[in-house]
């Protein structure tokens, strides 16, 4: 999530530094269209990445490959949130690098900690957008009902992404 989201954030920061977003204001293409393209690319790459790494890792149980598709899409949505969070914290590529380093553990490591907590208190980690994809996968691996975590994760990630996207638009229009 942090790798793909961080790379996408650097592409956008590079476009900001190059003045591409300023040029877009005088074209018929709205900024939201460019961002939609970036978000779709981030989601697609993250989904493929999740499916490929889990499939080739040797730890995936048979029958869970189809579950990886919606979980991968949710992870992709979390990568979009990561990208937007980096863009909210950074105004240039140097600040972006600092933001990626600061958010790395928060996005990559902390959502895995609840796996070691065997109680409902692990839901407290739900404030972290990547938690929901990880939780859905863990529950699916235990052959439990995983789709509620997927639905909550989609709703939560969309709410966070929308809020951060509105901030991005306000900052760059």
């Amino acid at each position: 999530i942090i790798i793909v989201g961080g790379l996408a954030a650097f592409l956008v920061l590079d476009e900001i530094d190059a003045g591409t977003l300023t040029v877009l204001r005088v074209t018929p293409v709205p900024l939201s269209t460019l961002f939609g393209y970036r978000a779709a690319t981030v989601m697609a790459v993250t989904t493929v990445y999740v499916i490929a790494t889990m499939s080739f890792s040797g730890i995936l149980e048979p029958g869970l490959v189809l579950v990886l598709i919606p979980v991968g899409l949710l992870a992709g949505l979390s990568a979009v949130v990561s990208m937007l969070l980096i863009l909210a914290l950074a105004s240039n590529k140097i600040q972006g690098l600092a933001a990626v380093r600061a958010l790395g553990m928060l996005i990559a490591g902390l959502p895995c900690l609840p796996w070691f907590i065997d109680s409902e208190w692990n839901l407290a980690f739900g404030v972290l957008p990547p938690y929901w994809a990880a939780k859905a996968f863990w529950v699916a691996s235990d052959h439990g009902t995983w789709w509620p975590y997927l639905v909550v994760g989609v709703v939560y990630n969309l709410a966070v992404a929308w809020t951060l996207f509105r901030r991005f638009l306000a900052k760059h229009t």
Side-chain angles (χ1 to χ4, degrees):
I1 291 170
I2 188 68
I3 294 169
V4 180
L7 287 174
F10 281 124
L11 287 173
V12 173
L13 288 169
D14 191 44
E15 290 168 345
I16 291 169
D17 288 349
T20 305
L21 298 184
T22 305
V23 172
L24 277 176
R25 288 189 213 149
V26 297
T27 66
V29 178
L31 186 58
S32 59
T33 302
L34 174 68
F35 185 79
Y37 161 74
R38 288 273 183 245
T41 303
V42 166
M43 287 186 66
V45 169
T46 304
T47 302
V48 169
Y49 183 78
V50 166
I51 293 169
T53 56
M54 292 303 294
S55 296
F56 294 127
S57 70
I59 62 172
L60 187 66
E61 294 181 28
L64 286 179
V65 174
L66 291 178
V67 172
L68 285 179
I69 296 169
V71 168
L73 287 169
L74 179 54
L77 191 54
S78 293
V80 171
V81 170
S82 299
M83 174 182 69
L84 284 166
L85 192 53
I86 292 165
L87 293 173
L89 296 172
S91 298
N92 57 46
K93 289 179 275 192
I94 302 300
Q95 291 175 356
L97 183 60
V100 168
R101 294 204 33 116
L103 294 173
M105 183 54 84
L106 184 69
I107 292 171
L110 225 47
C112 295
L113 187 61
W115 189 75
F116 299 101
I117 300 172
D118 192 25
S119 75
E120 294 302 316
W121 280 102
N122 68 28
L123 290 174
F125 288 86
V127 297
L128 302 169
Y131 165 83
W132 297 103
K135 181 68 174 179
F137 178 73
W138 296 332
V139 173
S141 294
D142 288 340
H143 306 289
T145 307
W146 56 272
W147 65 266
Y149 298 103
L150 187 80
V151 171
V152 171
V154 168
V155 169
Y156 181 69
N157 276 275
L158 283 174
V160 172
W162 180 251
T163 303
L164 290 170
F165 179 64
R166 300 295 297 165
R167 177 185 162 115
F168 176 76
L169 283 180
K171 187 175 175 181
H172 295 285
T173 53

